[in-house]
């Protein structure tokens, strides 16, 4: 059996709305293991590294503003195919289109803002996961 790690963030909207436990519960109910967990308000520097691929896009500044607006819960999860599995639990980026049953589909909505507040982040590939885990949990070797 191979294991795989993914970096999950419960974003500031999820924290403010009291949905952190609900997200963690869905991760555990799915069968993934929690490897590390931290509650913190992200710095703009950490977010610039985390979201480097989006620099220059129209939603980039609103995204960094939103993500630094309050506490997030950063989590490393583990399990076979957990990167794809968590993306499936999370649902589509746009919460209006995210399927019911998914975190974003069940718990998220469009608030008419410049950035989609969609409750969670999940790594999109093994390469992204290794890069992101090093940003949020530098003590964890990948
Ligand atoms: P993902 O979180 O589903 O992987 P990405 O394309 O990596 O989506 O975008 C990162 C985050 O930026 C999204 O989760 C969402 O909060 C925000 N975002 C992405 N695309 C848009 C957009 O077109 N308008 C507003 N916000 C967006
Ligand atoms: Mg992404």
């Amino acid at each position: 059996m191979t294991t795989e790690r993914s970096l999950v963030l419960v974003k500031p909207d999820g924290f403010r709305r009291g949905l952190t436990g609900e997200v963690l519960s869905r991760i555990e109910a799915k069968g993934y293991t929690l490897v590390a967990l931290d509650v913190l308000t992200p710095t703009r520097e950490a977010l610039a590294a985390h979201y480097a691929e989006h620099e220059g896009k129209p939603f980039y500044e609103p995204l960094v503003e939103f993500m630094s607006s309050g506490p997030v819960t950063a989590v490393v999860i583990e399990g076979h195919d957990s990167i794809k599995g968590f993306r499936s639990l999370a649902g589509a980026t746009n919460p209006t289109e995210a399927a019911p049953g998914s975190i974003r589909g069940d718990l998220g909505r469009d608030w008419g803002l410049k950035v989609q507040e969609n409750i969670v982040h999940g790594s999109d590939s093994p390469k992204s996961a290794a890069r992101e885990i090093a940003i949020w949990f530098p003590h964890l070797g990948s």
Side-chain angles (χ1 to χ4, degrees):
M1 192 183 73
T2 57
T3 59
E4 180 178 77
R5 289 180 175 185
S6 183
L7 188 277
V8 170
L9 300 174
V10 181
K11 297 183 176 185
D13 59 329
F15 186 91
R16 278 194 282 271
R17 293 179 57 207
L19 296 173
T20 306
E22 171 76 24
V23 171
L24 296 178
S25 173
R26 288 179 182 220
I27 290 168
E28 287 198 301
K30 181 79 171 171
Y32 300 134
T33 308
L34 305 182
V35 174
L37 187 149
D38 194 16
V39 179
L40 74 162
T41 299
T43 62
R44 291 185 67 95
E45 290 68 33
L47 292 166
H50 179 80
Y51 282 125
E53 66 175 306
H54 296 304
E55 202 186 336
K57 294 182 185 172
F59 61 84
Y60 177 77
E61 264 308 317
L63 176 62
V64 171
E65 205 51 39
F66 160 54
M67 289 297 295
S68 58
S69 68
V72 307
T73 299
V75 193
V76 176
I77 68 169
E78 189 170 76
H80 184 74
D81 237 359
S82 62
I83 292 171
K84 201 195 284 183
F86 181 78
R87 299 277 295 183
S88 176
L89 279 186
T93 305
N94 181 339
T96 301
E97 294 168 2
S102 67
I103 292 167
R104 289 161 169 174
D106 285 349
L107 309 173
R109 54 163 283 196
D110 194 322
W111 300 89
L113 304 171
K114 285 182 186 156
V115 63
Q116 289 288 2
E117 299 195 347
N118 55 10
I119 306 167
V120 288
H121 165 85
S123 306
D124 64 9
S125 69
K127 197 174 161 203
S128 302
R131 193 181 67 79
E132 293 170 3
I133 289 168
I135 294 167
W136 297 91
F137 296 95
H139 66 283
L140 284 183
S142 63

